[in-house]
């Protein structure tokens, strides 16, 4: 197992199947691993969009591609990101209330700097 993990580098693209879904993320069984590897994709690393539960977008057995974020050789754990391989969505337009809030914050900032 140690040799397999030592062969994983940060920013390497790996593939595998979703093996478990938990409220905080999903575990992925990596291709070529000689045994179970704790390869975790935390919920913010699944999608660019906000999701409430990983089960809303993934199911056990789904095939995924992911980017290696971190390898912990001592704990035999791997952190992955599916989101890093997805195209970044275009910025959304601000709502009227967000624009108004920004204007109020800027006015307050200027007032504080003048005093």
């Amino acid at each position: 197992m140690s040799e397999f993990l030592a062969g994983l580098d940060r920013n390497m693209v790996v593939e595998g199947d979703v093996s478990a879904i938990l409220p905080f993320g999903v575990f992925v069984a990596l291709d070529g691993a000689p045994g179970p590897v704790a390869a975790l994709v935390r919920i913010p690393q699944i999608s660019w969009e906000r999701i409430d539960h990983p089960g809303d977008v993934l199911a056990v057995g789904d095939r995924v591609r992911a980017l290696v974020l971190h390898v912990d050789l001592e704990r035999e754990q791997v952190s992955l990101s599916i989101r890093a391989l997805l195209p970044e969505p275009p910025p959304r337009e601000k709502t009227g209330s967000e624009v108004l809030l920004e204007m109020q914050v800027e006015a307050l900032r200027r007032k504080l700097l003048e005093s």
Side-chain angles (χ1 to χ4, degrees):
M1 180 66 68
S2 298
E3 290 177 26
F4 176 79
L5 292 176
L8 296 177
D9 291 321
R10 186 169 188 229
N11 295 326
M12 174 184 261
V13 176
V14 294
E15 293 186 14
D17 299 318
V18 174
S19 59
I21 298 175
L22 299 165
F24 56 85
V26 299
F27 284 99
V28 176
L30 297 177
D31 290 352
V37 174
L40 175 64
V41 182
R42 295 192 178 278
I43 200 167
Q45 293 299 324
I46 293 174
S47 172
W48 285 102
E49 297 176 7
R50 185 185 183 286
I51 57 175
D52 293 323
H53 191 277
D56 295 341
V57 294
L58 292 170
V60 171
D62 281 355
R63 188 96 178 129
V64 296
R65 291 181 69 232
L67 190 75
V68 175
L69 297 179
H70 179 73
V71 178
D72 186 332
L73 295 174
E74 288 182 21
R75 293 182 177 163
E76 295 188 340
Q77 295 176 341
V78 180
S79 297
L80 303 174
S81 174
I82 296 169
R83 180 183 79 178
L85 298 179
L86 300 174
E88 190 170 345
R92 67 174 180 80
E93 290 191 31
K94 296 177 184 173
T95 63
S97 59
E98 289 173 325
V99 172
L100 180 60
L101 179 61
E102 284 181 357
M103 290 170 51
Q104 290 171 338
V105 168
E106 180 60 22
L108 179 59
R109 185 187 73 80
R110 286 183 183 168
K111 185 176 180 180
L112 290 171
L113 288 174
E114 291 172 0
S115 44

